[in-house]
Amino acid sequence: MQPNSAAIVVLVGLPFLAAAVAPIVYRYLGDRTAYFAAAIAFISLGLVSSQHGVHGEVVLPWIPSMGVTLRFYVDGLALLVGYLASGIGVLVFTYSASYMHGEPGKAKYYATMLAFMGSMLGVAFAADLLAIFVFWELTSISSFVLIGHYTDERDSRYAARKSMLITVGGGLFMLVGFLILASHAGTYDLVYMLEHADEVRSGLASAGLLWPVVGLLGIGAAAKSAQVPLHIWLPNAMEAPTTVSTFLHSATMVKAGVYLVGRFRPLLLSDEWMALFAALGLITMTVTAILAVSATDIKELLAYSTASHLGLIIAGFGFQNAYGAETGAFHILNHALFKAALFLVAGIVAHEAGTRAIDELGGMWRDLPITAGITVVAALGMAGVPPFNGFYSKELLFEAAYETAVHLGGLAWLYPAVAVFGSIFTFLYSIRFLQLFFGDRPDALGEVHSPPVTMIAPPLLLAVLAAIVGAMPQLAVDTLIQSVVGSATSGHAHAFHVGLPTSLTPPFVMSLIVMGTGVITYPFYGRIHAALNRLFEVVPPITANWWYDSIVYGVNRRSVQVAERVHNGLLRTYATWTFFGVAALTISGFVATTATLPAELPITLAPALILVLLVAVVAAVAITIAPSHVAGVLTLSILGFMVAIFYILASAPDLALTQLTIETLTLVIFLLVLDRLPAFYGEIDRMRAIRDGVLSIAVGMTVTVTVLLSTAATPTMKIAEYFVEEAIPQGGGGNIVNVILVDFRAFDTLGEISVIAMAALSVLTLVALRNGGETA
Amino acid sequence: MTTVIFRTATKFVVPIIMLVSIALFLQGHNAPGGGFIGGVLTASAFALIYIAYGLDFLEDGVLGRDAQTMIEHISHGVVSDYRHLFAIGLGIAAGSGLLAILLGVPFLTQGYVILEHVPIYGEVELASAVVFDLGVYAVVIGALLTILSVVGAE
């Protein structure tokens, strides 16, 4: 069945439209804007589900002259991400009504959240590489705004900048990967590439471009999905309100990287692909699970855990066998269900208990019974305990790793070993989170209120869904996951079955090892936690944050130093650096292209011309030894008039006229400002004189070489002839220069006169209004 | 530079410069000239007046307005006229291009008609490019005079 193009366009466009009107809606509805946003998300959810089971492409022309088309592609993977973005959107917006009560900047908050939802839906459904990139960066930008929600707080600003730098920077790597891919495939159309996957892949491989493309897309995905060592922005992103963490930084935006990996899996699946993504995913899964154990704040714990589970999904998509795709596809859903629920629980805890420190919380099940129930389902799912939802996808990962190890042997046994090792830590921190509600209640913990219905209903719904998936995993597979696996697999995907294991299969044994070791080591959780934190304190370079801070602050310091030297407020310094830069760039450009100077000069000079030029040279020399400013300016104008005469002799009357009038006017302006300048500057420093002399010789040589090189080329004169021939029939004018200016190239002229107007405005503001901006 | 000779010369020369500049502007399409050169020439005529009679002459002597300070010049004096002039010029230039879009051809497309048997002139060419050039002319005069008077007042 073909997708309904109107539904898809409305789906992607509506959230942006709603974002635009959100500030106005907020003025009238106040806190109830949350329900407006939830309604928009609900409409989106309805539109996504109207396309359920659909597979196909929608094509709309966007920039036809550049061959850019807005293409949307609907398939299982796109629908899954669409369901998450819109469905969790409904819940998060409903939750916001109570949670954001009394917070600052709510109009901005709702507008950005809606814009984010639109961008995420755009990422999911776009089928043109450029469109994917645009939506991708839009999600990064809205994430930046939302993380920096508390604009007055230093930590928020640090976190927002960090996430911006990493995710947008990663996006640029992805763009380069896209450009290589597109230039190789000859189109930006993703659907075409997926249909000709084998062709494109073997073409890339034979051109030696498979590694670069896989690597560049990998950097983009790793930055977005917080893979080691780019995971460091995610824990800081928890500075945002909890709703934002739930929506962007657990359920949807961080899934964009995972989505990218799943989307390009059928196109690029190869040994290189597996080497990169299986290793990256498993390392991330393990490292960030260990970091989660070292966390002291519940949102920090969940953030590291998110990175860890994203690593699991990436690793799943990395494995070449069918279980790999099944792991990735199934875990996207499972993770979104339990992690979004847990984030909302964290929001309830922070809101009602007034603290997020793990040490200060415990035994809250009497205060928050429903929340405790939700946490049991979600945390056990996260730990991978049967019969909760996370168990099934983790089994699939173990199976994928085990099969790969059996198939390849040797070092490949590291895959299942690392997977088991990392999962032990996952088990540990999941149980630790659960312990917030059980065990001893710290005495310092004050009264804990019960949350309002709008805050309890969304996580409850998510937990119920997670429990249903846990109880009837095959149902989820049949309705949704099977088609997602189809999108992530080249060729035909076999129907797959999940369920509780009935015999001691290798993956089940691995799960048993994880749970057994977890239960045994859990009593030592406090000691592991303390030891890890001590390790990070003693050896800071093993943390990625240390590297980030050192680099960023180091670069900051350097740029301040450079700035002091390059633009220190003195005009002559600016001029020196600008001229030096231009000359150096031009010359190095010529050197790089190995341009050679023509052997003989292409022009012959008439005696009259030589005379005029000689006068000009004499004037130029005279300027440097002129005793006063007036004398200098007048001598300079001699040079200008000589150039004008040169133009007349070279039969360019228009240029000569312009040169003459401009020369006169410049002279007048110079004379106007002259008496503002000091008459005597003092003795000139010898070193500076030498430096300036060298610089002016270098600039002069650069210009000379440029003129020689650019006039040495002998074009076929087509352009000039065209203008000569067409000036009268097309432009109706005999003055070619003027016809070019106002007719053939009028758009250029429009730009030039805009520049003149801007210059006048700048003079006006800089000179006349510098003391009082209120007037005029 | 405010000698009697200079002032008298200015009185005679300025009208001639203005006439030449308008002629240059009008003949620009077929002979040397055009909006840019014409504009610069007009600006130099004004520069001459400024030098000979001082900056306030235009305001007080010619327009009969009473402007005291520089800020007043800018907000509602002659400088604001110059500012309006280059804004209008930009509007004319861009608007002439938009007119082309209304007629269904690409932005800034120009055309012309040749009128025959016009009394005295015989054959007259009407080019739409002149409208665009008028915009250029106005922007150049407005911008240059703005710069000139602001810098001059300093």
Side-chain angles (χ1 to χ4, degrees):
Chain A
M1 201 174 101
Q2 277 300 308
N4 181 342
S5 58
I8 298 296
V9 171
V10 171
L11 174 64
V12 176
L14 182 69
F16 286 107
L17 208 64
V21 299
I24 303 164
V25 172
Y26 179 76
R27 191 170 296 169
Y28 294 104
L29 293 185
D31 270 344
R32 280 168 294 164
T33 312
Y35 301 117
F36 162 75
I40 298 293
F42 193 75
I43 295 171
S44 305
L45 180 62
L47 288 168
V48 174
S49 48
S50 76
Q51 303 301 309
H52 190 95
V54 169
H55 187 118
E57 189 187 12
V58 175
V59 180
L60 301 161
W62 182 12
I63 314 174
S65 56
M66 285 175 69
V68 180
T69 324
L70 202 53
R71 293 170 195 277
F72 294 106
Y73 184 53
V74 182
D75 69 347
L77 186 58
L79 284 170
L80 175 62
V81 177
Y83 275 124
L84 293 181
S86 55
I88 295 185
V90 175
L91 301 179
V92 164
F93 283 127
T94 313
Y95 186 92
S96 299
S98 308
Y99 185 85
M100 294 301 288
H101 181 70
E103 297 276 340
K106 276 179 286 196
K108 184 185 76 180
Y109 167 81
Y110 287 115
T112 323
M113 288 281 265
L114 281 165
F116 164 75
M117 192 173 78
S119 328
M120 196 63 213
L121 291 167
V123 170
F125 287 99
D128 184 280
L129 295 184
L130 291 181
I132 293 181
F133 172 75
V134 169
F135 285 122
W136 176 280
E137 295 295 44
L138 277 177
T139 64
S140 291
I141 291 167
S142 34
S143 156
F144 167 76
V145 174
L146 287 166
I147 295 174
H149 182 75
Y150 302 109
T151 43
D152 297 337
E153 285 171 29
R154 203 185 165 77
D155 287 345
S156 296
R157 293 200 301 267
Y158 170 79
R161 268 201 307 275
K162 195 177 191 178
S163 77
M164 180 84 158
L165 207 58
I166 293 178
T167 57
V168 172
L172 296 180
F173 282 94
M174 184 187 78
L175 177 64
V176 176
F178 279 179
L179 293 179
I180 297 176
L181 195 58
S183 72
H184 195 81
T187 172
Y188 287 98
D189 182 5
L190 187 62
V191 182
Y192 171 86
M193 290 184 209
L194 289 175
E195 277 165 5
H196 302 79
D198 291 330
E199 216 174 290
V200 173
R201 182 173 54 241
S202 55
L204 279 173
S206 61
L209 289 172
L210 192 57
W211 254 122
V213 169
V214 169
L216 288 164
L217 294 190
I219 294 174
K224 200 78 163 183
S225 283
Q227 299 298 292
V228 168
L230 302 175
H231 64 286
I232 48 170
W233 66 269
L234 193 58
N236 288 100
M238 298 300 133
E239 292 298 331
T242 302
T243 43
V244 174
S245 310
T246 311
F247 194 26
L248 275 73
H249 306 124
S250 85
T252 53
M253 187 189 96
V254 288
K255 294 273 163 50
V258 169
Y259 165 83
L260 188 80
V261 175
R263 176 56 83 212
F264 283 89
R265 187 176 184 269
L267 182 63
L268 300 172
L269 192 61
S270 53
D271 291 342
E272 287 90 342
W273 175 273
M274 187 168 90
L276 178 70
F277 286 109
L280 175 74
L282 287 176
I283 290 171
T284 302
M285 175 181 155
T286 307
V287 169
T288 48
I290 294 171
L291 287 169
V293 170
S294 77
T296 50
D297 175 303
I298 51 177
K299 279 182 78 181
E300 192 193 353
L301 185 152
L302 292 178
Y304 280 126
S305 142
T306 302
S308 172
H309 284 276
L310 293 169
L312 193 162
I313 302 172
I314 297 248
F317 280 138
F319 285 117
Q320 273 179 305
N321 52 35
Y323 299 117
E326 290 161 14
T327 311
F330 202 8
H331 206 65
I332 290 180
L333 175 70
N334 286 336
H335 176 251
L337 290 178
F338 65 65
K339 190 54 62 64
L342 288 176
F343 263 110
L344 294 176
V345 165
I348 293 175
V349 168
H351 213 251
E352 308 303 338
T355 177
R356 292 190 339 219
I358 295 175
D359 288 343
E360 297 171 15
L361 295 162
M364 290 184 295
W365 67 273
R366 277 188 206 85
D367 309 286
L368 304 167
I370 306 174
T371 316
I374 295 167
T375 313
V376 169
V377 174
L380 290 180
M382 179 159 81
V385 174
F388 295 97
N389 61 351
F391 171 74
Y392 305 104
S393 31
K394 187 158 274 183
E395 283 287 274
L396 286 168
L397 175 77
F398 287 158
E399 195 149 8
Y402 179 77
E403 291 291 326
T404 307
V406 169
H407 183 64
L408 295 176
L411 271 180
W413 282 101
L414 274 175
Y415 289 133
V418 173
V420 167
F421 181 70
S423 298
I424 295 171
F425 287 93
T426 309
F427 184 84
L428 286 175
Y429 69 70
S430 303
I431 302 303
R432 183 68 191 89
F433 191 86
L434 194 54
Q435 283 297 101
L436 298 177
F437 293 90
F438 302 96
D440 298 329
R441 193 176 192 280
D443 301 327
L445 186 61
E447 199 186 335
V448 179
H449 314 275
S450 46
V453 171
T454 46
M455 280 177 75
I456 199 81
L460 184 64
L461 186 60
L462 288 167
V464 168
L465 285 173
I468 292 175
V469 174
M472 291 177 283
Q474 195 59 43
L475 180 70
V477 167
D478 290 339
T479 45
L480 189 57
I481 304 302
Q482 185 67 57
S483 62
V484 182
V485 174
S487 320
T489 327
S490 53
H492 184 66
H494 300 284
F496 79 105
H497 299 282
V498 288
L500 290 171
T502 47
S503 59
L504 271 185
T505 56
F508 188 50
V509 172
M510 290 158 83
S511 279
L512 287 179
I513 295 173
V514 169
M515 284 182 280
T517 322
V519 169
I520 295 168
T521 40
Y522 186 73
F524 307 103
Y525 188 93
R527 269 191 241 169
I528 300 173
H529 171 81
L532 284 171
N533 279 312
R534 209 162 41 247
L535 182 66
F536 298 144
E537 250 168 58
V538 177
V539 203
I542 61 167
T543 60
N545 261 323
W546 184 85
W547 291 98
Y548 171 83
D549 287 342
S550 308
I551 291 172
V552 169
Y553 290 118
V555 168
N556 258 352
R557 253 196 322 279
R558 286 280 169 283
S559 39
V560 168
Q561 286 168 358
V562 170
E564 274 164 9
R565 291 193 65 80
V566 177
H567 43 100
N568 56 358
L570 294 175
L571 201 56
R572 55 175 176 272
T573 318
Y574 291 75
T576 309
W577 282 99
T578 313
F579 284 131
F580 173 75
V582 170
L585 281 177
T586 315
I587 294 294
S588 54
F590 292 145
V591 171
T593 52
T594 60
T596 43
L597 282 174
E600 56 189 66
L601 288 178
I603 40 163
T604 45
L605 290 176
L609 278 179
I610 293 175
L611 187 67
V612 167
L613 290 178
L614 268 181
V615 175
V617 170
V618 171
V621 174
I623 295 167
T624 58
I625 51 172
S628 71
H629 290 312
V630 177
V633 169
L634 288 174
T635 332
L636 185 64
S637 69
I638 296 179
L639 183 61
F641 285 117
M642 286 306 126
V643 174
I645 295 172
F646 176 83
Y647 285 145
I648 294 172
L649 294 176
S651 50
D654 261 333
L655 284 181
L657 258 177
T658 314
Q659 174 76 20
L660 277 174
T661 46
I662 290 286
E663 198 56 50
T664 317
L665 209 59
T666 327
L667 188 62
V668 170
I669 294 179
F670 254 130
L671 291 174
L672 281 176
V673 296
L674 264 192
D675 57 303
R676 306 276 295 182
L677 297 176
F680 184 66
Y681 282 110
E683 284 303 320
I684 298 171
D685 180 12
R686 185 174 290 272
M687 279 309 288
R688 187 190 287 161
I690 291 173
R691 189 197 65 191
D692 290 355
V694 170
L695 183 68
S696 31
I697 291 171
V699 170
M701 274 171 56
T702 310
V703 174
T704 313
V705 169
T706 309
V707 169
L708 285 179
L709 280 175
S710 52
T711 48
T714 45
T716 44
M717 299 300 281
K718 283 239 171 73
I719 304 170
E721 276 167 22
Y722 172 82
F723 283 141
V724 171
E725 281 166 14
E726 298 295 326
I728 290 178
Q730 280 201 30
N735 178 357
I736 300 171
V737 177
N738 189 266
V739 170
I740 292 173
L741 281 177
V742 300
D743 199 327
F744 291 132
R745 315 232 52 162
F747 204 36
D748 287 355
T749 312
L750 188 64
E752 282 148 19
I753 58 175
S754 310
V755 170
I756 296 177
M758 271 184 251
L761 279 180
S762 320
V763 170
L764 207 59
T765 27
L766 286 178
V767 180
L769 301 180
R770 67 185 163 210
N771 293 328
E774 295 82 29
T775 47
Chain B
M1 286 211 257
T2 50
T3 55
V4 176
I5 301 174
F6 187 68
R7 288 191 169 193
T8 317
T10 305
K11 270 184 197 166
F12 285 102
V13 168
V14 164
I16 298 171
I17 297 180
M18 298 295 263
L19 212 60
V20 171
S21 93
I22 292 170
L24 277 179
F25 163 65
L26 287 177
Q27 72 169 15
H29 215 46
N30 281 306
F36 188 81
I37 299 171
V40 177
L41 212 56
T42 308
S44 17
F46 274 81
L48 217 52
I49 299 176
Y50 276 158
I51 294 170
Y53 292 94
L55 275 173
D56 293 335
F57 175 72
L58 264 185
E59 202 83 16
D60 302 340
V62 180
L63 298 170
R65 289 190 295 213
D66 190 28
Q68 304 298 323
T69 63
M70 192 60 219
I71 291 300
E72 276 185 46
H73 266 303
I74 290 163
S75 50
H76 45 76
V78 70
V79 175
S80 104
D81 296 340
Y82 299 152
R83 234 176 45 207
H84 292 156
L85 188 62
F86 72 69
I88 292 167
L90 263 188
I92 293 174
S96 77
L98 289 178
L99 202 67
I101 291 186
L102 284 186
L103 297 175
V105 284
F107 185 56
L108 282 174
T109 304
Q110 312 288 4
Y112 64 96
V113 283
I114 293 177
L115 302 179
E116 313 252 355
H117 312 300
V118 179
I120 305 172
Y121 290 97
E123 190 183 285
V124 170
E125 181 195 338
L126 287 181
S128 68
V130 170
V131 180
F132 182 79
D133 222 13
L134 182 68
V136 176
Y137 186 62
V139 170
V140 171
I141 297 176
L144 285 180
L145 287 180
T146 306
I147 296 173
L148 204 63
S149 46
V150 169
V151 173
E154 283 288 302

